Amino acid sequence: MEGLLDGMIERLLEGRSNRGKRIQLNDSEIRQLCLTAKKLFLTQPNLLELEVPINICGDIHGQYSDLLRLFEYGGFPPKANYLFLGDYLDRGKQNMRSLDQIRAIERPIDVPDQGLLCDLLWADPDRDISGWGDNDRGVSYTFGADKVAEFLKKHDLDLIFCAHQVVEDGYEFFADRQLVTIFSAPNYCGEFNNVGTLMSVDASLLCSFQILKPSRAKMGLLKTKHQKTVHIVYLIPQRISCKAKTATDAVGT
């Protein structure tokens, strides 16, 4: 199987030198790849405790050429480690009593319409409320900044990062920079005027955001500047301080 995977990876990486090239994988190869990935995922715990340095990505929604660009910026596996927050392809009740509840979720499992697993996937931050509110998605809830602060204090954490929401600048802070939403699919579905973001965390827990503009083929759909403000976040126990610096953004140029 290792040889088969190496062959598929080699073909998939042909897109690096030929943007827009259609990569041919047959049905049996894709099925075997999915089965192998499933076995690997099921060996891992629900709650991952990861080491830095690491790169964190939000939704990519099957935008494969942009995935390759993320790898070009953050480094290609296995030389660089990544955490993807979900929505690879395209297209709860009101509290979390303990992180142990996450570890106890049995997999595989269908996502229910309510409960912890549903809320982990679909609950959204809302600047206009405190506490909990109804979600326009029609499932799960929204939560205010007070709930973020309460959760972090209870579990002795510094920062929450999440995905599942399109944000125009590719990332968006919430709750006094105690939560950040990351979205990694630029020009989402060809309809949204957004950039994507790659969040990197180095060995000193310094977090930085690299802005992924639409590729040249999409540049006519999004007017961009050559300069982009990139926030650098210093994670300090029980405190997060942020600086901003302006850096030349080579993406899409």
Side-chain angles (χ1 to χ4, degrees), residues 92-95 113-116 118-126 129 131-144 147 165:
K93 197 71 174 171
Q94 296 181 349
N95 73 33
D113 294 330
Q114 59 184 357
L116 174 60
C118 174
D119 295 336
L120 285 171
L121 291 172
W122 297 118
D124 295 314
D126 189 338
I129 69 168
W132 302 92
D134 294 329
N135 196 322
D136 291 339
R137 296 180 187 271
V139 66
S140 190
Y141 300 89
T142 58
F143 54 88
K147 289 301 177 183
Q165 282 186 306

Side-chain angles (χ1 to χ4, degrees), residues 46 92-93 95-96 101-123 139-140 164:
N46 298 318
K93 197 71 174 171
N95 73 33
M96 185 178 297
Q101 291 178 288
I102 301 176
R103 294 187 176 96
I105 296 174
E106 295 184 4
R107 297 177 300 159
I109 185 175
D110 292 330
V111 179
D113 294 330
Q114 59 184 357
L116 174 60
L117 181 56
C118 174
D119 295 336
L120 285 171
L121 291 172
W122 297 118
V139 66
S140 190
H164 275 328

Side-chain angles (χ1 to χ4, degrees), residues 138-174:
V139 66
S140 190
Y141 300 89
T142 58
F143 54 88
D146 57 328
K147 289 301 177 183
V148 173
E150 179 183 312
F151 178 85
L152 291 177
K153 182 178 180 180
K154 179 177 181 179
H155 295 288
D156 192 27
L157 300 173
D158 297 312
L159 177 68
I160 297 172
F161 48 88
C162 60
H164 275 328
Q165 282 186 306
V166 181
V167 287
E168 184 177 359
D169 293 327
Y171 69 99
E172 184 174 281
F173 283 106
F174 178 72

Side-chain angles (χ1 to χ4, degrees), residues 48-140:
L48 296 173
E49 299 181 15
L50 305 173
E51 300 290 336
V52 293
I54 192 170
N55 298 312
I56 302 167
C57 298
D59 310 40
I60 56 173
H61 286 284
Q63 295 180 197
Y64 180 64
S65 61
D66 291 321
L67 171 65
L68 291 179
R69 295 170 65 213
L70 288 169
F71 285 158
E72 287 173 355
Y73 283 15
F76 279 81
K79 294 183 178 180
N81 291 325
Y82 286 82
L83 173 65
F84 286 86
L85 300 181
D87 269 350
Y88 314 112
L89 301 176
D90 216 348
R91 294 235 48 123
K93 197 71 174 171
Q94 296 181 349
N95 73 33
M96 185 178 297
R97 293 182 293 275
S98 169
L99 296 177
D100 289 336
Q101 291 178 288
I102 301 176
R103 294 187 176 96
I105 296 174
E106 295 184 4
R107 297 177 300 159
I109 185 175
D110 292 330
V111 179
D113 294 330
Q114 59 184 357
L116 174 60
L117 181 56
C118 174
D119 295 336
L120 285 171
L121 291 172
W122 297 118
D124 295 314
D126 189 338
R127 298 182 185 277
D128 298 326
I129 69 168
S130 60
W132 302 92
D134 294 329
N135 196 322
D136 291 339
R137 296 180 187 271
V139 66
S140 190

